[in-house]
Each structure stands twice: as C-alpha cells, then as structure tokens.
Amino acid sequence: MNRTAGKLSLLLLLTPFVLWIVLLVLLPHVQMLRVSFQVRESWDSLSWGVTQYSNFFAESYYWRTFIRTGVMSMLTTALTLLIGFPIAWYIAKLARGRARGVLFLACLIPFWASELVRTYGWMILLRESGLFSGWLQALGWVDGPVELLYNDAAVIVGLVYNALLFMVVPLVTTLDGLDDNLVEAGYDLGGNHWNVLREVVIPWAMPGIVSGCIVVFMLTLGSYLTPTLMGGKDSAWFTQQIFTQFITRFNWEQGAALGVLLLVLSSLLVWLGLRLTGQNLRKVLG
Amino acid sequence: MSSDLYCTDLVRRFGEHRAVDQVSLDVPAGSFFSILGPSGCGKTTLLRLLAGFDRPDSGDIFIRDQRMNTVPPNKRPVNMVFQHLALFPTMSVADNIGYGLKRRKVAAAERRKKTERVLEQVGLPGLGDRMPQQLSGGQRQRVALARCLVLEPTLLLLDEPLGALDLKLREQMKVELKHLQKAFGTTFVYITHDQSEALVMSDRVAVMRNGRFDQVAAPDVLYREPATPFVASFVGDNNRLDGEVLGVDNERVRLRLDTGGEVSGRPSSALAVGQRASLFIRPESMLIGADLPASFSRIETQLSTTLFDGANSRIETRLGERELFARLPQDGSVGDLQPGTTVSLGWEPQRATVFAEAQV
C-alpha cells in the first residue's frame, strides 16, 4: 500500500516534467524531422526524400550562412568568457558583503527589459545619428557621421551583451567554491599570476566555464532579434533563413530541414567542446 | 649559531586592533620552532607575514640575512603547509609535488625522480598517480609536506596542519613530523593552539597572547618555569590559588589564601608584603595524604570526585570556589577515597610558582 502510494506520488511529481518534455520538446522535433523528409510532388501528393537536405548543400548561400553563424557564435562565446571571467572573479573573490549583491544585481538589471528593448538601446548608441557617432565628431576624431551599426562587430557586441549574465552566473558559482588557500598555495610554491590562473584556477573553474560556454553558445546560435536588427543586410544569421522558409516562403519542408541541421550543428559543437576540454555533461551539470 | 629566521618588532594593525604587536623572534637553522596561543592571538597573522601573504606595518623580517619585507610569496625561500592542506584537487599527487619544481624549470625527468624520492621519504612510495581525494587524512598530510619539502625551502611554515585529523592519527603524526624535520634538517615554524603538539615536537616554543610573545623557551622550561600567569595556566594543567603576600624570604614567598591557611611557593618576580598574588601548582606536584614532610605546604580540601584514567588518574577537590586537581597514584599508596570526605593536599614549595595578581 505504502509502496503504491510512493509510486503514485512520484508519478504525479514527474507528470508536468514528462508532459513538458513530450509535448513541447519531443513531439515538435519529431514532427519537424518528419516534415523535413517530405517532398511535395504536387499540390495534393507527398513522397519521402532528401531534397531539402541536398538543397542545403547545393545552395552555397545556405551553408555559408550556416558556417558563418557557427563561427560567429563561437567567437561570441569566447569573447563572453574573456569578459565574464574577470567579472565573475571580482564578484566571487574580491567583492564583500553588500558590494557583491549590488554587482550581481547590476548584471541582472538589463534582463528586466526585453531583448528587443536592449537591442534598440544598442542601436541608439551605435547608429549614424547615435551617441557614439556624435561624441566622435565632437572630439574631432571623425569628419562626418559614422555608421557603427550593421556590421559583424555590432552583432557580436549585441550578442555578448545579451549572453554575459549566462556566463557570469555559473562562473561565480564555481569560483565561489574555490578555496582561497589553493590560490595562495599556488603562489607560495613559486607560481606567478599566469601559472596560478592556468594550473589552479582554470582547472577548478572548468565545469563552470564549460556550462557557461554551452549556454551562451546555444543562446547565440539560436538568437534571432539581435543579428537581424544590428546586422543589417550583409550579416546573415542562420535563424533568419529558417524564418524566411517558414514565414515568407511558406516552405515548411525546407524550413524544417534547416531547423534540424541547426540542431545537429549545435549538438555536434557542444559534444566536440566537451570532448576537447575533457569534461562530461554530468560533471558540468553538477 | 646562524639564524634562518630573524624578525624585529613586527607590527600588523587591523584598524585599531594590533593583531601582531612588537614581535621579535630568532629561529636557529635546523630547529623546530612553535608558536602556541589561543585562537585569535595573532599567530596566523604572524605566519602570513612570514609567508608573504601580508605585509607588516612596521618591523623587519630577515630570512638567512636577506630582508624579506617587500619580497612576494612566490620569491621567498619559504613554503607553507596550510591548515586544510590546500592540495590542488585537480592534480594528481605527483603533479601536486611537481608543481613547485615546474615553476623552477626543473626538467620533466628530473622532476619525476625528485617526486618519487620525496614520496619515499614521507612514506608514500608509488602513490604519485592517485588523486588527493583518494588518500586518507594522514596520507594527504604527508603529500602536503612532500610538496613543500621537495623544494628544499629554508623555512617551512605549518599552520595547525594536524587540526583536521582524529586524535589517534594526530598523536602518530606529531612524532612523525618531528622525525621528518630531523631527517630533512629544514627549519620548521609551526603554529598551533594545542599545547601538547607544541611541547612534543618543538625545540623552542613561543607562547603568544594578544599579539605579543609572553615567553619563548624550551618546552620543559616553559612547563616548569612559566614566566607569566597566562603561560602557567595555558601550558599544561595547573591549579591556581589566590591570596595575599605575607612574607618574602630566601627564594620563598609565603601567602595567606583567601580561603584561609598559609602556603609557600617560588616567586617568579619581585613581590611586596601585602600584595595580591596567585600561586600555581601542577596536579602531579600536588601530593595526597596527611604524612607529608614538614617543609611542604598543605591545604585541606573537600573531595568532589575521582577521575580514573590509568596513569593519568586524578582527584577533583574543592577549596572554597575553586576546583583543584591532584594526580592520583595508581600504586596503592592512597587508599579508597569517598566523595565528600576531607583530603589533605601538599606540595614542595619549590614546585609552586607565585605571580603578582594574575588577571587570567
């Protein structure tokens, strides 16, 4: 009786989770996978095939954007790590008491506004008639208005800004657990700053670094608004093409194939990253 | 004799508080020097000054006649065994030991040889491939020592490294540390709040209180001839009796106890008649029985209880407000004692120390 009750309560606890996974994650993806292999023969008949996938490889614009998105996302992830690590170190190790909370809050505050508002914020700063352009002219460094928006650098700035919090939080958590004595021992045994960072701090923080990088990479790869608004015509992002297929062209089959490819790409890169750093997902997720 | 460590008038302030206050010390090469004190006495701050993690506000630190005040920790010929050892958890035992050698650009083959040798010396041959988490507490201790000793430092600082071990292992490691120190010939500076650790291992002990050294002496001197009431009560067990000085003559001071009765002891400093004073007498110097020599001081106390502990058995008695302890010999010389009965205790005056007005 008691065991049945235990089983029942476990079942009840798991139900929302299972429903969420099945209905919102598993089913749509299975459906998308199915659609991506459908070939429309005429208005009322379908057959199975890989036309959509061969389209992807045949049309250079598709796979070029695909590679571009992957490379830019990795660059963004690396930059976010470079900027986020010192911030996390300061919050975890140097800030005390109130300052710590305030700093954390400062990282969090931008997320009270939506991504759209945050991105428009950057556009106000960077556009031709924007603040930076005005300051550069006032300082006499440039003659006329400069367009800082609509290039790859602007996209990366926006993406890094959006991703920073997701890098800082896991890093602060792992660095918090690093015993100060370990750092001191690193110096005491003759190490300089670089030795201590490379041999003591980074190996310790590796789970946080990897989980931060995974989250940031996924977010960046799948982001749509920032690259679209800040990148302009020449800065294509792969999600834009999925959008185009689904919404503009109403070609669901091609859109689904591109969606599946994006999923495969991100999984592959995450797996590769874990292999290269010698981490496994279980350790990273704690 | 040459000194490995020589400090003059070290001061370290935190705001108004002087954590280290005018401390001078001189540690001869190859000796085992302990700093003993209760928690918060400033001993850890002092050790951090020596290691270079902190800078003194005034005073100088010399190691082998080199002024160290402005030398950063990674450039000092000093290594430290941390309280919680601070073994790098992401490195194997061999990598932990090799870390310092690597910083000195020792070639890999040489590094491996040195690592193996030092592991043998600390009694852990062949454990280089283990991770620190896979070792027992005692083994980790040895790795932490090996990690420092392989660098052949002039000075090894130890910050209560035995604190985390269980009692039995601690007793074992005490003796072992002493042997290792002799075998390596390295100068050890050891800080602890455990007086038994300090007494067993050290050549010299400094007793520290409120940022200052009360007394620096060999362990047996510290025990037999404490310089201050604090040392008398902090090092080893002691009984304390308060009273007023009746007379001073011939290396003897006579005291009238607050509870009545007259006793004698050896004065530790100049005392005047009529002055308040405290007499300290060790439990093992306190003899039980009525038939003691006439030269002995004597008090009558109420027996509270007997505490049987083999060779360390003692009786607990009351005299007024104070609890007193006396060793209970297990050779049958003292008969069966019943709680509540009156017990005569006595001591040879030479064995008791009298201080002016103890404020402990």
Side-chain angles (χ1 to χ4, degrees):
Chain A
M1 181 61 215
N2 212 345
R3 271 190 56 183
T4 347
K7 268 187 186 165
L8 189 69
S9 61
L10 185 71
L11 204 70
L12 282 173
L13 274 172
L14 280 178
T15 304
F17 175 71
V18 170
L19 278 178
W20 180 59
I21 288 283
V22 170
L23 289 179
L24 296 173
V25 180
L26 222 54
L27 267 182
H29 278 88
V30 168
Q31 184 68 14
M32 201 165 81
L33 197 67
R34 206 173 67 98
V35 171
S36 77
F37 284 104
Q38 283 174 350
V39 182
R40 229 190 298 202
E41 288 183 315
S42 68
W43 65 275
D44 64 346
S45 67
L46 290 167
S47 73
W48 301 100
V50 291
T51 319
Q52 277 80 240
Y53 291 94
S54 56
N55 279 348
F56 170 81
F57 291 104
E59 180 59 69
S60 77
Y61 185 65
Y62 283 151
W63 58 261
R64 273 170 201 268
T65 314
F66 190 73
I67 290 169
R68 205 186 108 83
T69 308
V71 170
M72 293 254 295
S73 297
M74 281 193 273
L75 191 66
T76 304
T77 309
L79 270 175
T80 313
L81 178 62
L82 275 179
I83 298 169
F85 198 88
I87 298 175
W89 179 264
Y90 191 87
I91 294 177
K93 290 284 156 204
L94 303 173
R96 292 270 166 270
R98 262 178 78 98
R100 228 183 117 103
V102 170
L103 282 170
F104 233 133
L105 200 66
C107 284
L108 198 68
I109 281 175
F111 288 82
W112 287 350
S114 77
E115 190 188 349
L116 197 63
V117 175
R118 265 177 282 146
T119 306
Y120 274 124
W122 274 110
M123 293 174 76
I124 289 167
L125 294 177
L126 295 179
R127 71 184 175 204
E128 209 171 351
S129 55
L131 278 178
F132 285 173
S133 175
W135 286 340
L136 287 175
Q137 289 173 73
L139 286 166
W141 292 356
V142 289
D143 295 331
V146 269
E147 180 60 270
L148 297 168
L149 263 181
Y150 310 126
N151 57 50
D152 289 353
V155 173
I156 287 180
V157 165
L159 288 172
V160 167
Y161 177 68
N162 275 337
L164 204 55
L165 180 76
F166 300 96
M167 185 64 87
V168 168
V169 169
L171 283 179
V172 168
T173 315
T174 44
L175 288 176
D176 232 359
L178 172 67
D179 184 358
D180 289 345
N181 281 343
L182 286 180
V183 177
E184 287 181 341
Y187 287 113
D188 185 66
L189 295 164
N192 54 32
H193 296 316
W194 169 244
N195 299 143
V196 173
L197 181 72
R198 217 180 66 102
E199 306 228 358
V200 182
V201 177
I202 290 182
W204 174 273
M206 213 53 195
I209 292 174
V210 172
S211 69
C213 283
I214 289 177
V215 173
V216 168
F217 179 74
M218 297 288 219
L219 268 178
T220 308
L221 199 68
S223 66
Y224 177 77
L225 270 174
T226 307
T228 308
L229 292 174
M230 292 177 76
K233 258 206 322 259
D234 299 330
S235 305
W237 207 258
F238 200 63
T239 46
Q240 289 164 5
Q241 292 184 6
I242 300 176
F243 180 87
T244 310
Q245 294 302 333
F246 272 109
I247 308 298
T248 318
R249 306 232 180 127
F250 214 66
N251 186 349
W252 279 46
E253 290 80 9
Q254 188 61 55
L258 297 183
V260 169
L261 283 166
L262 187 66
L263 186 71
V264 170
L265 171 74
S266 55
S267 311
L268 199 74
L269 283 170
V270 166
W271 176 79
L272 212 66
L274 286 170
R275 281 300 294 270
L276 285 177
T277 52
Q279 300 285 320
N280 60 51
L281 210 55
R282 230 181 36 225
K283 215 157 89 189
V284 169
L285 298 178
Chain B
M1 201 171 358
S2 68
S3 339
D4 267 354
L5 172 66
Y6 178 72
C7 298
T8 49
D9 300 327
L10 284 180
V11 177
R12 178 72 178 102
R13 288 186 211 90
F14 296 111
E16 283 296 291
H17 174 65
R18 285 172 169 232
V20 173
D21 189 6
Q22 299 282 329
V23 166
S24 299
L25 56 94
D26 188 353
V27 181
S31 66
F32 198 125
F33 185 83
S34 287
I35 298 166
L36 171 66
S39 54
C41 73
K43 56 190 193 300
T44 300
T45 308
L46 178 58
L47 206 69
R48 294 177 64 82
L49 292 178
L50 300 180
F53 298 132
D54 202 355
R55 299 269 168 90
D57 290 314
S58 65
D60 290 309
I61 302 168
F62 293 93
I63 294 173
R64 290 239 170 106
D65 301 326
Q66 300 270 329
R67 190 167 177 275
M68 284 290 147
N69 285 36
T70 54
V71 179
N74 53 353
K75 297 275 195 299
R76 293 193 187 195
V78 172
N79 291 122
M80 180 152 160
V81 176
F82 289 84
Q83 189 165 11
H84 301 292
L85 307 181
L87 294 176
F88 304 127
T90 50
M91 295 183 203
S92 68
V93 167
D95 288 342
N96 261 285
I97 296 171
Y99 174 89
L101 295 171
K102 218 163 149 186
R103 304 285 83 82
R104 292 190 182 170
K105 310 255 186 299
V106 177
E110 176 73 9
R111 215 156 62 208
R112 202 168 322 121
K113 226 163 62 196
K114 282 194 168 189
T115 304
E116 274 165 26
R117 203 177 57 220
V118 79
L119 275 173
E120 237 161 79
Q121 279 172 302
V122 298
L124 297 174
L127 289 190
D129 295 331
R130 299 274 188 89
M131 295 305 279
Q133 301 87 300
Q134 295 172 305
L135 302 181
S136 70
Q139 288 174 323
R140 276 206 287 272
Q141 199 86 57
R142 282 166 225 237
V143 174
L145 272 171
R147 186 172 73 171
C148 293
L149 290 172
V150 76
L151 300 173
E152 291 161 12
T154 306
L155 202 63
L156 185 67
L157 308 175
L158 301 103
D159 183 4
E160 307 202 36
L162 304 188
L165 302 180
D166 61 63
L167 190 68
K168 195 155 183 192
L169 202 54
R170 195 152 64 210
E171 295 299 319
Q172 228 176 318
M173 281 307 292
K174 259 190 237 175
V175 181
E176 194 142 334
L177 260 180
K178 174 105 177 157
H179 288 322
L180 279 171
Q181 190 263 332
K182 285 275 172 288
F184 279 87
T186 309
T187 308
F188 277 33
V189 175
Y190 188 99
I191 70 166
T192 181
H193 66 271
D194 182 324
Q195 41 108 3
S196 136
E197 280 176 20
L199 297 182
V200 168
M201 294 190 283
S202 320
D203 296 313
R204 285 166 77 74
V205 180
V207 179
M208 196 170 183
R209 179 175 61 131
N210 297 338
R212 286 171 169 274
F213 283 174
D214 262 32
Q215 188 175 9
V216 183
D220 56 324
V221 176
L222 214 57
Y223 191 79
R224 273 200 287 273
E225 294 161 29
T228 67
F230 174 74
V231 176
S233 54
F234 190 71
V235 179
D237 291 327
N238 229 333
N239 294 304
R240 176 180 158 188
L241 298 164
D242 296 323
E244 200 172 283
V245 177
L246 279 180
V248 189
D249 58 67
N250 234 2
E251 310 263 303
R252 284 285 172 281
V253 52
R254 284 180 299 120
L255 221 61
R256 191 191 5 252
L257 296 180
D258 297 340
T259 49
E262 199 183 309
V263 294
S264 303
R266 184 176 54 82
S268 80
S269 54
L271 290 162
V273 175
Q275 194 178 353
R276 299 281 308 157
S278 307
L279 178 143
F280 286 89
I281 176 78
R282 301 260 176 215
E284 69 269 23
S285 301
M286 197 105 101
L287 304 181
I288 305 168
D291 49 346
L292 296 170
S295 62
F296 275 38
S297 290
R298 227 176 289 246
I299 48 175
E300 302 292 319
T301 60
Q302 295 288 315
L303 183 70
S304 310
T305 182
T306 56
L307 306 162
F308 180 78
D309 182 18
N312 296 321
S313 301
R314 5 197 241 174
I315 58 170
E316 190 188 316
T317 67
R318 288 195 81 78
L319 180 66
E321 292 292 290
R322 284 218 179 266
E323 299 275 342
L324 300 177
F325 292 93
R327 200 171 76 86
L328 183 60
Q330 292 301 303
D331 54 6
S333 59
V334 176
D336 201 16
L337 294 169
Q338 292 301 322
T341 54
T342 302
V343 180
S344 275
L345 298 175
W347 63 88
E348 197 186 334
Q350 178 60 33
R351 299 217 178 263
T353 317
V354 181
F355 297 97
E357 189 68 293
Q359 272 137 1
V360 187

